[in-house]
Amino acid sequence: LRTDKSLYVTTTLWQVRQALKYGIAPFTTSSLVGYVIILTRRDKVDEAYMLSKVTTKLAFREDSMSAKAVCLTCGCFFTNFTRERLDTLVAPLLQGYHYGLQGDLNSAFHGLHAYLEARMVLGTNLVEIEEELKRYCGQMKDLQANRMMSYQIIMWQFVKNLLGQSDDPAQLTGDVMNEQEQLEAFRVAGDKN
């Protein structure tokens, strides 16, 4: 369900004000991560980075796998990459994925996607990445996380194309997916991501 962006901003800011006024509650870290995202999108990267660090420390004081997953995934994905070397973010992204499997599949798979992209940018052997994609897509299938898997198979087919495992390297069509069928499925679902 998509909502008006201004409603998201208003709600997030209200939640942050409540946390500052009344203290930390079970979902405070999610609100703070939302505020980190808002700050980042408004080009307040320094503030977002500092808040991301504080929010991650707060999440690790809680006993919530979901809070840890959200903080590690969003912190690395939205802000930390602007201030830290990419190779230092690979392990936290994978850790966020594992925490997310225990409480927040959406954060888990966003962290996984960022982890795999980071490994590609860092020059990891594509055969290794292809094996990971195969394993992780299998996990997504087992967990019936079909929407998130539909994004990962794009990367998987892209890697297979780079490895020469498709008829036309310029088309994302091969043994993992068919580009035209995938685009049609996204169109039918109304998914513009």
Side-chain angles (χ1 to χ4, degrees):
L1 176 68
R2 297 197 184 267
T3 59
D4 182 6
K5 290 179 184 174
S6 63
L7 179 60
Y8 173 77
V9 171
T10 302
T11 304
T12 300
L13 293 176
W14 179 84
Q15 291 170 332
V16 170
R17 278 194 297 275
Q18 295 304 305
L20 293 172
K21 185 174 181 180
Y22 297 108
I24 304 303
F27 294 101
T28 298
T29 51
S30 294
S31 301
L32 292 174
V33 166
Y35 191 51
V36 164
I37 294 168
I38 291 168
L39 288 171
T40 302
R41 290 192 173 160
R42 294 188 174 174
D43 292 327
K44 297 182 182 285
V45 179
D46 291 332
E47 294 92 337
Y49 177 72
M50 291 183 337
L51 182 59
S52 173
K53 291 297 190 184
V54 170
T55 303
T56 300
K57 287 181 183 177
L58 177 63
F60 277 84
R61 287 181 27 200
E62 294 181 21
D63 191 26
S64 167
M65 295 299 177
S66 179
K68 293 173 187 174
V70 168
C71 287
L72 288 171
T73 298
C74 291
C76 289
F77 188 74
F78 286 102
T79 59
N80 297 4
F81 75 91
T82 65
R83 297 292 183 264
E84 297 176 24
R85 290 178 19 181
L86 187 58
D87 61 335
T88 66
L89 301 179
V90 172
L93 286 166
L94 188 58
Q95 186 180 20
Y97 165 72
H98 289 292
Y99 283 132
L101 287 178
Q102 300 172 52
D104 184 348
L105 291 180
N106 195 41
S107 289
F109 295 131
H110 278 95
L112 176 65
H113 189 80
Y115 160 79
L116 291 164
E117 282 185 339
R119 288 186 31 91
M120 284 180 66
V121 169
L122 290 167
T124 303
N125 183 307
L126 290 176
V127 172
E128 233 179 272
I129 293 174
E130 195 272 332
E131 290 169 1
E132 285 184 297
L133 280 160
K134 182 178 182 177
R135 183 174 68 246
Y136 290 131
C137 285
Q139 288 176 352
M140 288 179 210
K141 186 176 182 179
D142 292 345
L143 294 168
Q144 297 178 345
N146 297 328
R147 181 169 182 248
M148 292 306 293
M149 188 175 76
S150 68
Y151 301 129
Q152 294 303 109
I153 63 170
I154 294 169
M155 184 187 298
W156 188 7
Q157 186 61 55
F158 175 70
V159 169
K160 289 179 97 46
N161 283 17
L162 290 173
L163 290 169
Q165 299 176 7
S166 65
D167 293 336
D168 181 354
Q171 293 289 314
L172 291 174
T173 298
D175 61 342
V176 175
M177 67 170 275
N178 179 298
E179 183 175 344
Q180 293 307 314
E181 290 173 6
Q182 192 65 45
L183 287 171
E184 180 62 17
F186 285 144
R187 189 193 65 71
V188 168
D191 190 338
K192 296 179 182 176
N193 289 320

Tab-separated table of all heavy atoms in Angstrom, residues 136-158:
chain	number	residue	atom	x	y	z
A	136	TYR	N	20.309	-17.542	-2.323
A	136	TYR	CA	19.384	-16.600	-1.693
A	136	TYR	C	18.019	-16.585	-2.395
A	136	TYR	O	16.991	-16.463	-1.722
A	136	TYR	CB	19.985	-15.197	-1.659
A	136	TYR	CG	21.153	-15.086	-0.694
A	136	TYR	CD1	22.347	-14.507	-1.093
A	136	TYR	CD2	21.061	-15.557	0.609
A	136	TYR	CE1	23.425	-14.402	-0.222
A	136	TYR	CE2	22.127	-15.461	1.481
A	136	TYR	CZ	23.307	-14.884	1.066
A	136	TYR	OH	24.358	-14.788	1.942
A	137	CYS	N	17.990	-16.718	-3.707
A	137	CYS	CA	16.703	-16.796	-4.405
A	137	CYS	C	15.956	-18.059	-3.996
A	137	CYS	O	14.725	-18.049	-3.873
A	137	CYS	CB	16.896	-16.716	-5.913
A	137	CYS	SG	17.267	-15.035	-6.483
A	138	GLY	N	16.687	-19.139	-3.758
A	138	GLY	CA	16.066	-20.358	-3.240
A	138	GLY	C	15.444	-20.129	-1.876
A	138	GLY	O	14.337	-20.594	-1.596
A	139	GLN	N	16.137	-19.380	-1.009
A	139	GLN	CA	15.579	-19.052	0.311
A	139	GLN	C	14.317	-18.209	0.167
A	139	GLN	O	13.332	-18.426	0.869
A	139	GLN	CB	16.612	-18.305	1.162
A	139	GLN	CG	17.742	-19.161	1.656
A	139	GLN	CD	18.788	-18.350	2.415
A	139	GLN	OE1	18.757	-17.128	2.461
A	139	GLN	NE2	19.736	-19.059	3.011
A	140	MET	N	14.362	-17.231	-0.731
A	140	MET	CA	13.193	-16.377	-0.943
A	140	MET	C	12.010	-17.192	-1.444
A	140	MET	O	10.877	-16.979	-1.016
A	140	MET	CB	13.518	-15.269	-1.940
A	140	MET	CG	14.415	-14.211	-1.386
A	140	MET	SD	14.749	-12.981	-2.646
A	140	MET	CE	16.374	-12.473	-2.125
A	141	LYS	N	12.284	-18.124	-2.332
A	141	LYS	CA	11.223	-18.988	-2.837
A	141	LYS	C	10.631	-19.817	-1.705
A	141	LYS	O	9.410	-19.923	-1.579
A	141	LYS	CB	11.768	-19.904	-3.940
A	141	LYS	CG	10.715	-20.725	-4.620
A	141	LYS	CD	11.289	-21.527	-5.766
A	141	LYS	CE	10.191	-22.318	-6.457
A	141	LYS	NZ	10.706	-23.083	-7.580
A	142	ASP	N	11.492	-20.385	-0.858
A	142	ASP	CA	11.027	-21.177	0.285
A	142	ASP	C	10.176	-20.339	1.244
A	142	ASP	O	9.226	-20.837	1.831
A	142	ASP	CB	12.200	-21.783	1.048
A	142	ASP	CG	12.934	-22.848	0.254
A	142	ASP	OD1	12.379	-23.330	-0.769
A	142	ASP	OD2	14.075	-23.192	0.633
A	143	LEU	N	10.537	-19.059	1.401
A	143	LEU	CA	9.819	-18.150	2.302
A	143	LEU	C	8.632	-17.472	1.612
A	143	LEU	O	7.950	-16.660	2.209
A	143	LEU	CB	10.767	-17.086	2.853
A	143	LEU	CG	11.861	-17.594	3.777
A	143	LEU	CD1	12.914	-16.526	4.019
A	143	LEU	CD2	11.257	-18.072	5.095
A	144	GLN	N	8.413	-17.807	0.354
A	144	GLN	CA	7.350	-17.233	-0.465
A	144	GLN	C	7.447	-15.702	-0.540
A	144	GLN	O	6.440	-15.000	-0.531
A	144	GLN	CB	5.981	-17.676	0.034
A	144	GLN	CG	5.792	-19.173	-0.060
A	144	GLN	CD	4.462	-19.644	0.461
A	144	GLN	OE1	3.743	-18.927	1.142
A	144	GLN	NE2	4.120	-20.879	0.138
A	145	ALA	N	8.666	-15.215	-0.603
A	145	ALA	CA	8.924	-13.778	-0.746
A	145	ALA	C	9.065	-13.475	-2.234
A	145	ALA	O	10.115	-13.052	-2.711
A	145	ALA	CB	10.175	-13.395	0.032
A	146	ASN	N	7.982	-13.693	-2.954
A	146	ASN	CA	8.015	-13.628	-4.412
A	146	ASN	C	8.317	-12.240	-4.957
A	146	ASN	O	9.035	-12.102	-5.946
A	146	ASN	CB	6.706	-14.161	-4.987
A	146	ASN	CG	6.506	-15.618	-4.639
A	146	ASN	OD1	7.470	-16.376	-4.523
A	146	ASN	ND2	5.267	-16.015	-4.439
A	147	ARG	N	7.770	-11.218	-4.328
A	147	ARG	CA	8.025	-9.856	-4.827
A	147	ARG	C	9.511	-9.523	-4.730
A	147	ARG	O	10.105	-9.030	-5.686
A	147	ARG	CB	7.197	-8.840	-4.044
A	147	ARG	CG	7.399	-7.429	-4.542
A	147	ARG	CD	6.381	-6.477	-3.928
A	147	ARG	NE	6.576	-5.152	-4.472
A	147	ARG	CZ	7.017	-4.134	-3.757
A	147	ARG	NH1	7.300	-4.277	-2.480
A	147	ARG	NH2	7.170	-2.948	-4.306
A	148	MET	N	10.110	-9.786	-3.589
A	148	MET	CA	11.529	-9.492	-3.428
A	148	MET	C	12.367	-10.397	-4.330
A	148	MET	O	13.386	-9.973	-4.861
A	148	MET	CB	11.954	-9.621	-1.968
A	148	MET	CG	11.350	-8.564	-1.057
A	148	MET	SD	11.634	-6.859	-1.601
A	148	MET	CE	13.379	-6.715	-1.403
A	149	MET	N	11.930	-11.627	-4.510
A	149	MET	CA	12.667	-12.529	-5.386
A	149	MET	C	12.634	-12.026	-6.831
A	149	MET	O	13.615	-12.155	-7.565
A	149	MET	CB	12.107	-13.948	-5.312
A	149	MET	CG	12.976	-14.953	-6.072
A	149	MET	SD	12.439	-16.656	-5.894
A	149	MET	CE	11.028	-16.681	-6.971
A	150	SER	N	11.524	-11.397	-7.220
A	150	SER	CA	11.432	-10.897	-8.594
A	150	SER	C	12.490	-9.826	-8.868
A	150	SER	O	12.935	-9.665	-10.000
A	150	SER	CB	10.026	-10.367	-8.886
A	150	SER	OG	9.750	-9.204	-8.141
A	151	TYR	N	12.914	-9.098	-7.838
A	151	TYR	CA	13.990	-8.109	-8.016
A	151	TYR	C	15.356	-8.798	-8.053
A	151	TYR	O	16.231	-8.412	-8.814
A	151	TYR	CB	13.972	-7.065	-6.904
A	151	TYR	CG	12.677	-6.295	-6.816
A	151	TYR	CD1	12.002	-6.162	-5.614
A	151	TYR	CD2	12.119	-5.705	-7.941
A	151	TYR	CE1	10.822	-5.460	-5.532
A	151	TYR	CE2	10.928	-5.012	-7.870
A	151	TYR	CZ	10.284	-4.880	-6.652
A	151	TYR	OH	9.105	-4.196	-6.581
A	152	GLN	N	15.527	-9.799	-7.208
A	152	GLN	CA	16.817	-10.480	-7.145
A	152	GLN	C	17.112	-11.268	-8.418
A	152	GLN	O	18.260	-11.361	-8.831
A	152	GLN	CB	16.880	-11.419	-5.938
A	152	GLN	CG	16.846	-10.741	-4.597
A	152	GLN	CD	17.940	-9.727	-4.415
A	152	GLN	OE1	17.702	-8.540	-4.393
A	152	GLN	NE2	19.160	-10.168	-4.291
A	153	ILE	N	16.070	-11.829	-9.041
A	153	ILE	CA	16.346	-12.610	-10.248
A	153	ILE	C	16.827	-11.721	-11.390
A	153	ILE	O	17.525	-12.186	-12.280
A	153	ILE	CB	15.155	-13.502	-10.681
A	153	ILE	CG1	13.937	-12.683	-11.062
A	153	ILE	CG2	14.836	-14.537	-9.616
A	153	ILE	CD1	12.827	-13.501	-11.709
A	154	ILE	N	16.484	-10.442	-11.343
A	154	ILE	CA	17.009	-9.511	-12.352
A	154	ILE	C	18.526	-9.426	-12.211
A	154	ILE	O	19.262	-9.523	-13.194
A	154	ILE	CB	16.355	-8.118	-12.212
A	154	ILE	CG1	14.863	-8.207	-12.544
A	154	ILE	CG2	17.066	-7.094	-13.108
A	154	ILE	CD1	14.068	-6.960	-12.194
A	155	MET	N	18.981	-9.265	-10.971
A	155	MET	CA	20.425	-9.215	-10.735
A	155	MET	C	21.063	-10.553	-11.095
A	155	MET	O	22.140	-10.593	-11.698
A	155	MET	CB	20.737	-8.870	-9.275
A	155	MET	CG	22.232	-8.715	-9.008
A	155	MET	SD	22.672	-8.516	-7.262
A	155	MET	CE	21.841	-7.012	-6.845
A	156	TRP	N	20.395	-11.642	-10.760
A	156	TRP	CA	20.924	-12.977	-11.029
A	156	TRP	C	21.101	-13.178	-12.539
A	156	TRP	O	22.154	-13.621	-13.000
A	156	TRP	CB	19.997	-14.021	-10.436
A	156	TRP	CG	20.470	-15.439	-10.464
A	156	TRP	CD1	21.698	-15.907	-10.845
A	156	TRP	CD2	19.719	-16.585	-10.091
A	156	TRP	NE1	21.748	-17.278	-10.725
A	156	TRP	CE2	20.540	-17.710	-10.260
A	156	TRP	CE3	18.417	-16.767	-9.622
A	156	TRP	CZ2	20.104	-19.002	-9.986
A	156	TRP	CZ3	17.991	-18.046	-9.344
A	156	TRP	CH2	18.825	-19.151	-9.518
A	157	GLN	N	20.075	-12.807	-13.323
A	157	GLN	CA	20.191	-12.957	-14.772
A	157	GLN	C	21.264	-12.023	-15.325
A	157	GLN	O	22.015	-12.395	-16.225
A	157	GLN	CB	18.854	-12.694	-15.470
A	157	GLN	CG	18.881	-12.980	-16.962
A	157	GLN	CD	19.207	-14.430	-17.281
A	157	GLN	OE1	18.547	-15.341	-16.806
A	157	GLN	NE2	20.243	-14.655	-18.097
A	158	PHE	N	21.375	-10.830	-14.773
A	158	PHE	CA	22.414	-9.880	-15.189
A	158	PHE	C	23.798	-10.491	-14.988
A	158	PHE	O	24.653	-10.435	-15.872
A	158	PHE	CB	22.265	-8.572	-14.395
A	158	PHE	CG	23.352	-7.573	-14.644
A	158	PHE	CD1	23.449	-6.915	-15.858
A	158	PHE	CD2	24.269	-7.283	-13.647
A	158	PHE	CE1	24.452	-5.975	-16.078
A	158	PHE	CE2	25.276	-6.351	-13.862
A	158	PHE	CZ	25.374	-5.696	-15.084
